[in-house]
């Protein structure tokens, strides 16, 4: 790949929407390296929906883009306390372990990839001053509107949810990116950044958006709903069980989580191997013709295996009821296990990762009244006051993240 136009087409292919793509075109035409960031808040357990942005990041890296993965620890506890502050540091480490191993399992080149923890710069004097400047010009209405699709909406919202969009906008400046990448659910925050960063004297960035992949039961795939998603570390029997229960009506291609996953993840990964010319064909049968990217195996009495070289043909076959939902579920299960097995194997072989997992997602406490601890006088132990500004509630995030800007090779 040599021309700026070819690189741009690779960067934007398969996306749902691109805002201000001319910014990227100009940088490529000048022969400079394009820089982007993709952020994730370490809250719930990561699910296989993460394959969607990570697969797209493979395109960015192939096009020579320098990619920063933001592990947004500060965002994690600002979003309506989705992640308790004492667990954020552990979940951040868990996410990094996982993301590194996903990239490794996909064979994605990572020389232009780095990980950054949000608290390494979001607690700085300069960043907070910019946040105050935003607070002085952003209305409550605009802040609430910007976060409507991302920040958890409740009847009596916390002030932290109003700060969230401003932080995400400022991240573009402090991470030095040319474009921010995310799902189309981030669009309102992206347009918020487009409007307000220039008002602080900072450059406007481009914004690239993926389609959202529905969950197994239809609707948005959610970390908080175990029935809508598959965990990266789910054992094979759980994966098979969840896919077996997935909504997949015969001939229905609308809101079909299995077809959406195949389109957004399986086909692009198969195509990635073809473009590399590495001879790896992870999702096809041994007898599949050259150029095939996905196989649906069927008994000979039902017509035998079907091989597809593109997603559109698979979707059409399912719509025409040439593929039974049970056969699609079996094929999807096989593809998912092919993707998940090396990640789970890496987890099982890493004592450090397993320790972090136990700390990040401890089992829920058993119901029942806790006994009050006694001290020497026989009186109930005093309850410590809640942490205030500058105490462990914030310092714990910063102190636990010593080595926080890490290249993917370290």
């Amino acid at each position: 790949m040599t021309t700026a136009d070819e690189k741009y087409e690779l960067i934007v292919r398969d996306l749902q929407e691109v805002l201000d793509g001319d910014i990227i075109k100009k940088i490529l035409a000048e022969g400079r390296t394009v820089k982007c960031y993709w952020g994730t808040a370490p809250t719930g357990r990561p699910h296989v929906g993460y394959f969607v942005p990570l697969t797209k990041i493979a395109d960015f890296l192939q096009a020579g883009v320098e990619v920063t993965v933001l592990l947004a620890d500060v965002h994690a506890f600002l979003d309506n306390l989705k992640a308790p502050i004492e667990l954020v540091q552990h979940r951040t480490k868990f996410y990094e372990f996982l993301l590194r191993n996903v990239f490794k399992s996909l064979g994605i080149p990572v020389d232009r990839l780095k990980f950054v923890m949000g608290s390494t710069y979001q607690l700085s004097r300069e960043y907070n001053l910019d946040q105050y400047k935003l607070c002085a010009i952003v209305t409550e209405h605009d802040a609430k509107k910007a976060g409507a699709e991302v920040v958890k909406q409740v009847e009596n919202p916390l002030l932290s949810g109003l700060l969230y969009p401003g932080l995400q906008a400022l991240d573009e400046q402090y991470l030095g990116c040319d474009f921010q990448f995310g799902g189309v659910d981030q669009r309102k925050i992206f347009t918020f950044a487009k409007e307000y960063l220039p008002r602080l004297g900072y450059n406007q960035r481009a914004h690239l958006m993926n389609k959202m992949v529905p969950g197994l039961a239809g609707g948005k795939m959610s970390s908080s709903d175990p029935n809508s998603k598959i965990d990266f570390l789910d054992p094979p029997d759980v994966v098979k069980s969840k896919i077996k229960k997935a909504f997949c009506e015969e001939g229905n291609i609308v809101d079909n989580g299995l077809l959406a996953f195949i389109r957004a993840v399986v086909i692009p990964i198969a195509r990635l191997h073809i473009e590399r010319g590495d001879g790896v064909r992870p999702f096809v049968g041994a007898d599949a013709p050259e150029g095939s990217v996905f196989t649906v195996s069927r008994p000979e009495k039902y017509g035998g295996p079907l091989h597809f070289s593109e997603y559109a043909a698979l979707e059409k076959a399912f719509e025409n009821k040439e593929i039974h939902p049970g056969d699609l579920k079996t094929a999807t299960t096989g593809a998912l296990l092919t993707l998940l097995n090396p990640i789970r194997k890496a987890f099982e072989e890493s004592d450090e990762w397993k320790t972090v997992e136990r700390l990040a997602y401890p089992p829920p406490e058993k119901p029942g009244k806790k006994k009050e601890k006694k001290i020497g006088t026989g009186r109930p132990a005093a309850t410590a006051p809640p942490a205030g500004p500058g105490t462990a509630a914030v310092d714990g995030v910063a102190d636990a993240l010593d080595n926080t800007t890490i290249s993917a090779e370290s």
Side-chain angles (χ1 to χ4, degrees), residues 106-306:
L106 297 178
I108 293 175
V110 293
D111 56 311
R112 291 182 180 269
L113 175 70
K114 63 179 179 180
F115 289 84
V116 175
M117 309 299 181
S119 55
T120 57
Y121 64 90
Q122 290 169 347
L123 303 181
S124 69
R125 178 184 182 279
E126 294 77 14
Y127 187 94
N128 278 280
L129 182 58
D130 275 340
Q131 176 67 6
Y132 295 146
K133 289 178 180 178
L134 277 179
C135 289
I137 60 175
V138 176
T139 65
E140 177 189 5
H141 173 270
D142 283 358
K144 189 173 182 180
K145 179 182 176 182
E149 300 295 325
V150 177
V151 179
K152 186 175 181 180
Q153 300 299 299
V154 294
E155 185 176 345
N156 189 24
L158 298 172
L159 179 60
S160 58
L162 299 178
L163 299 178
Y164 195 107
L167 268 67
Q168 188 167 335
L170 289 175
D171 290 338
E172 296 182 1
Q173 173 67 25
Y174 281 78
L175 292 173
C177 74
D178 302 305
F179 73 86
Q180 185 182 169
F181 168 58
V184 72
D185 61 333
Q186 304 275 327
R187 192 183 196 283
K188 291 179 180 178
I189 289 184
F190 290 168
T191 56
F192 175 93
K194 177 180 176 179
E195 177 181 354
Y196 282 102
L197 280 186
R199 293 174 66 174
L200 295 183
Y202 296 140
N203 293 332
Q204 179 182 314
R205 270 72 178 188
H207 296 93
L208 278 56
M209 286 162 274
N210 259 341
K211 296 178 181 178
M212 299 302 294
V213 175
L216 299 176
K220 184 176 179 180
M221 191 178 292
S222 170
S223 293
S224 60
D225 180 4
N227 294 317
S228 77
K229 53 90 176 183
I230 293 172
D231 190 292
F232 274 100
L233 300 180
D234 277 344
D237 59 327
V238 174
V239 173
K240 293 175 184 177
S241 176
K242 287 184 177 181
I243 292 182
K244 186 177 181 179
K245 297 174 183 176
F247 174 76
C248 187
E249 184 181 32
E250 188 175 18
N252 186 351
I253 61 173
V254 179
D255 202 27
N256 186 320
L258 302 184
L259 284 175
F261 185 80
I262 293 169
R263 180 185 64 230
V265 176
V266 174
I267 302 299
I269 290 175
R271 183 178 60 196
L272 185 65
H273 286 293
I274 291 174
E275 291 172 349
R276 286 183 195 152
D278 57 16
V280 177
R281 303 202 304 170
F283 313 118
V284 301
D287 58 343
E290 195 70 25
S292 298
V293 293
F294 191 70
T295 293
V296 177
S297 297
R298 303 180 302 177
E300 288 298 332
K301 64 179 180 179
Y302 296 123
L306 292 172

Side-chain angles (χ1 to χ4, degrees), residues 94-105:
F94 179 84
Y95 269 59
E96 183 175 349
F97 266 113
L98 178 70
L99 295 176
R100 286 183 183 279
N101 280 282
V102 172
F103 282 124
K104 182 179 178 181
S105 72

Side-chain angles (χ1 to χ4, degrees), residues 364-379:
E365 293 183 4
K366 293 182 180 180
K369 188 175 180 180
K370 293 184 178 179
K371 290 185 177 180
E372 209 168 26
K373 291 184 178 180
K374 305 290 184 177
I375 56 176
T377 61
R379 293 173 295 179

